Amino acid sequence: MTSDTPQHAIRTAIEKIATGPHLSKPLTRDEAREAFAAILSGHATPAQIGVFLIALRMKRETDDEFLGLLDALISETNPITVAVESLAILADPFDGFARSMPASPFLPAVLAACGLPTLAIGLPRLGPKYGVTHAQILSAAEIPVARTPQEAAAAVEHCGWSYCDQHQYAPRIAALVPLRNEIVKRTALNTLETLAKPLLGKRETHHLSGYVHSPYARLYALLARAAGFTSAAITKGVEGGFLPPLNKTSVVVRMPTEGDTTESIDPGALAIQHAVRAPEWPRAMPDPTDSPDWQRDAAHYAAQTGIAALQGAPGPTADALVYGAAIALWHTGKAGSLAEGAARARSVLRNGAAWDRWVAGKN
């Protein structure tokens, strides 16, 4: 059943979901879609938006509610088909990384060198974590982070990879960031925004992401299928990112055309052995809570470390790139096994092909 007006849709939704633990009722998929569409079209007040998002979280979102919100989110993007057969979209948490130094901003260049064109998506800064983001690290490394979807498509066709910011491909969703930061707690949008598809491959488009809490693995697979991805590889990664820990076995949930599978992944089987779970910040780096300049300093340090890895320097960052590339190449069929994917990633790091793709991404 559809509402007569957007204002009616958001009011009706709030009345259903914000009436306490015993009387609140779930929204249908259509009701959730209409309510979120009302928000995105400017027909809800900031107070209504905050109540809507927090009430959903407090009662726990249902699958239908997530799917309805996703339907509205998808309608905000106008995907551009890129002149490549296959495309991977890398969607790490939009609120970034704080406890470990991310290597993933450099993964698209490695995958491009291995024959898998890749687009990374994200936001420059988002709470509640306020970790260092892809956009901040790429900007510190002098990679363009304000490309339009058309410009990102051209970059993918030129060098095999790019970054595209939510402000460019879904500006009405990005406009909610200040309010989301005031809400403090994570909402359904933290999950849903990683399912955006600003670009499409001609034949197939793959989703690469991660999770922390086990129930979200099933949810991400459900949403990736509903969003129309050809497949998804969703790892139990460091801080919810795509790259798994370097020091212990993890899992990857694979969403093919039909059915989902959960596979165990062992870094030791790929000759990756570290005592740390991920690249670490230097000890001199101030605590994020103690320094307002932490994100800037962290972005510059991560950029320097990632560039060194692309230029052939060994260490945890290089191994994290090898590990992530192995999973992505194996999952998308670009490599016959994890071992083959790891060997190809090591090769492009050694022979300079990944670095060449990185440099080409500056133009």
Side-chain angles (χ1 to χ4, degrees):
M1 181 176 178
T2 59
S3 298
D4 295 333
T5 66
Q7 293 90 341
H8 183 257
I10 187 66
R11 289 179 63 88
T12 300
I14 290 173
E15 287 171 355
K16 287 190 70 172
I17 64 175
T19 55
H22 302 297
L23 297 177
S24 292
K25 298 178 179 63
L27 301 176
T28 67
R29 182 169 179 171
D30 283 344
E31 288 171 335
R33 174 184 55 78
E34 290 178 354
F36 194 30
I39 289 172
L40 295 174
S41 61
H43 289 95
T45 67
Q48 288 175 323
I49 298 170
V51 170
F52 177 75
L53 293 174
I54 287 299
L56 281 176
R57 177 47 49 100
M58 292 295 289
K59 76 166 193 61
R60 297 186 181 275
E61 302 92 340
T62 65
D63 285 355
D64 276 349
E65 287 167 342
F66 268 118
L67 290 168
L69 298 176
L70 178 65
D71 291 339
L73 182 149
I74 290 173
S75 70
E76 287 297 301
T77 59
N78 296 299
I80 297 172
T81 299
V82 187
V84 297
E85 293 297 315
S86 301
L87 177 73
I89 297 183
L90 174 63
D92 271 341
F94 283 19
D95 59 357
F97 297 82
R99 297 184 297 277
S100 59
M101 183 170 58
S104 48
F106 306 91
L107 183 60
V110 176
L111 293 175
C114 291
L116 179 59
T118 302
L119 176 75
I121 59 174
L123 280 166
R125 186 172 185 270
L126 180 67
K129 186 190 293 185
Y130 295 110
V132 63
T133 62
H134 278 237
Q136 292 169 332
I137 295 169
L138 294 173
S139 182
E142 300 181 344
I143 297 292
V145 294
R147 286 175 173 146
T148 65
Q150 293 80 4
E151 291 168 339
V156 170
E157 292 172 355
H158 165 64
C159 65
W161 73 281
S162 186
Y163 171 85
C164 194
D165 197 87
Q166 188 183 87
H167 286 89
Q168 297 295 329
Y169 63 80
R172 296 202 300 186
I173 296 175
L176 297 175
V177 166
L179 179 59
R180 292 171 62 188
N181 290 339
E182 290 182 4
I183 290 174
V184 178
K185 301 298 290 182
R186 285 180 173 85
T187 69
L189 297 187
N190 292 76
T191 299
L192 291 162
E193 62 195 352
T194 63
L195 279 300
K197 294 191 299 181
L199 304 182
L200 302 172
K202 290 197 297 184
R203 185 168 57 87
E204 54 191 28
T205 306
H206 306 277
H207 174 73
L208 308 176
S209 68
Y211 68 96
V212 174
H213 303 294
S214 295
Y216 278 87
R218 179 202 63 83
L219 177 63
Y220 275 118
L222 171 74
L223 296 173
R225 181 176 286 106
F229 283 97
T230 307
S231 78
I234 307 154
T235 65
K236 190 165 188 178
V238 176
E239 296 192 53
F242 176 66
L243 299 183
L246 299 173
N247 62 348
K248 63 180 181 180
T249 299
S250 188
V251 296
V252 56
V253 176
R254 304 177 69 194
M255 186 281 289
T257 303
E258 294 182 3
D260 304 329
T261 60
T262 300
E263 313 260 3
S264 177
I265 46 177
D266 178 9
L270 303 177
I272 295 173
Q273 296 181 336
H274 288 280
V276 296
R277 66 175 188 147
E280 295 184 312
W281 300 113
R283 295 190 178 184
M285 184 76 70
D287 187 284
T289 61
D290 295 336
S291 171
D293 298 324
W294 178 83
Q295 287 181 317
R296 181 201 63 198
D297 296 341
H300 281 282
Y301 187 84
Q304 294 170 3
T305 305
I307 287 171
L310 291 178
Q311 292 176 328
T317 297
D319 282 343
L321 293 174
V322 168
Y323 200 4
I327 296 168
L329 295 171
W330 163 64
H331 171 74
T332 58
K334 301 297 181 182
S337 64
L338 283 168
E340 179 187 337
R344 290 180 61 186
R346 288 190 174 101
S347 176
V348 300
L349 288 172
R350 283 196 304 264
N351 65 23
W355 174 246
D356 289 343
R357 296 286 182 149
W358 175 264
V359 173
K362 291 188 174 184
N363 301 320

